[in-house]
Amino acid sequence: MKKTASLFSVPYLLWLLLFVVAPVLMLLYQSFFDISGNFTLDNYGTFFSSWTYLRMSFNSVLYAAIITIVTLLISYPTAYLLTRLKHKQLWLMLVILPTWINLLLKAYAFMGIFGQQGGINAFLGFFGIAPMQILFTDFSFIFVASYIELPFMILPIFNVLDDLDPNLINASYDLGANRWDTFRRVVFPLSMNGVRSGVQSVFIPSLSLFMLTRLIGGNRVITLGTAIEQHFLTTQNWGMGSTIGVVLILAMLLIMWATRERRER
């Protein structure tokens, strides 16, 4: 039995080695070379001493935090409501369904909706409001990014809330707690694992968004993901792009550590 299990684990280990470990090692290796191919540590010195890169880092964390907070505020009540519905699995599938659509197609759809001749400005025109600049703003970027990330926050929270023992809630009511106290002292603390998983699933990808910053933000939103794209595709400075990638990976590991499950002793 153990031999069979080990055999089935081989494809997974190969996939992990080829598409996770190897790319990270290549990225780390490339970060120690300059644009001319010479070994150097200046890439890291430039990153941590340049106000431009530090500002990009701050913007990346700020936008990722805002997107995470927005999705959490929407996702938690939504997940809680889904667990109370009769056909909750059907509704959950409808929530997950937009993830089947290509990200680029969704971005272009929102470009049409938010554009000067788009649906929102056409609706505002009925009230005599002149066309507004909605596309290429911070609002449009955060709105679209939050919309795209919503299912990844809803799903883990829904799973935890759906598995919650109703006897614990009933016991809280029996002990005299009202709905707010029950939620604050019983439901929310027991759902923290789902919240942590959702925060990881949203915050980490949001750190490195670059396509939405270009298509929806119009390059007014500058993040580390945008810098990586520029270095690899425009300036051809793969060493600096790799350095930023390594910093992002370390930031993601830090976020995973900060949001890990803490066991009480």
Side-chain angles (χ1 to χ4, degrees):
M1 187 68 181
K2 291 184 178 180
K3 186 176 181 180
T4 304
S6 299
L7 186 63
F8 282 126
S9 66
V10 170
Y12 170 75
L13 292 175
L14 286 176
W15 183 91
L16 193 66
L17 179 64
L18 292 175
F19 299 107
V20 178
V21 177
V24 171
L25 291 178
M26 291 174 61
L27 203 67
L28 181 62
Y29 173 79
Q30 188 65 43
S31 67
F32 292 108
F33 292 89
D34 60 18
I35 195 171
S36 302
N38 301 316
F39 181 85
T40 182
L41 297 176
D42 290 344
N43 291 332
Y44 289 94
T46 301
F47 180 89
F48 289 106
S49 62
S50 171
W51 169 246
T52 300
Y53 290 120
L54 293 178
R55 185 180 61 181
M56 287 182 183
S57 302
F58 175 78
N59 287 341
S60 298
V61 174
L62 177 62
Y63 283 117
I66 293 173
I67 293 167
T68 302
I69 292 172
V70 170
T71 54
L72 178 60
L73 292 177
I74 297 173
S75 298
Y76 200 101
T78 303
Y80 189 82
L81 177 63
L82 287 175
T83 60
R84 299 295 185 268
L85 297 178
K86 184 177 180 181
H87 303 290
K88 53 187 175 184
Q89 296 299 334
L90 174 62
W91 289 104
L92 182 64
M93 186 189 70
L94 294 178
V95 170
I96 299 174
L97 201 60
T99 62
W100 298 1
I101 302 174
N102 184 271
L103 177 61
L104 185 62
L105 295 178
K106 287 188 281 190
Y108 275 110
F110 276 106
M111 289 176 66
I113 294 172
F114 288 147
Q116 290 287 334
Q117 307 299 323
I120 293 181
N121 276 314
F123 176 76
L124 294 176
F126 287 112
F127 301 96
I129 301 176
M132 301 176 61
Q133 181 62 45
I134 304 175
L135 191 63
F136 305 144
T137 61
D138 289 348
F139 167 79
S140 62
F141 171 71
I142 293 172
F143 183 93
V144 175
S146 300
Y147 163 78
I148 291 172
E149 301 288 358
L150 267 177
F152 304 105
M153 181 71 80
I154 292 176
L155 188 58
I157 297 176
F158 170 85
N159 289 333
V160 172
L161 291 175
D162 194 43
D163 292 337
L164 198 62
D165 188 353
N167 292 324
L168 296 174
I169 300 176
N170 294 331
S172 176
Y173 292 147
D174 291 340
L175 292 172
N178 55 32
R179 289 181 177 272
W180 169 244
D181 288 333
T182 300
F183 173 78
R184 183 169 58 91
R185 296 179 179 273
V186 179
V187 176
F188 187 73
L190 292 176
S191 64
M192 279 304 296
N193 285 340
V195 173
R196 292 189 188 98
S197 298
V199 169
Q200 291 178 0
S201 301
V202 173
F203 189 89
I204 292 175
S206 299
L207 277 176
S208 56
L209 290 174
F210 70 92
M211 185 171 66
L212 292 182
T213 58
R214 180 180 295 276
L215 296 178
I216 304 298
N219 281 341
R220 295 185 182 183
V221 179
I222 305 299
T223 63
L224 291 179
T226 309
I228 293 174
E229 180 199 21
Q230 290 294 320
H231 281 306
F232 273 99
L233 301 181
T234 304
T235 66
Q236 297 296 309
N237 190 351
W238 288 18
M240 196 64 218
S242 299
T243 300
I244 301 174
V246 171
V247 172
L248 271 178
I249 292 173
L250 294 176
M252 293 172 185
L253 292 175
L254 179 62
I255 295 301
M256 293 178 66
W257 177 83
T259 56
R260 75 192 189 282
E261 181 181 357
R262 292 172 174 82
R263 300 183 181 275
E264 295 183 0
R265 295 181 179 180

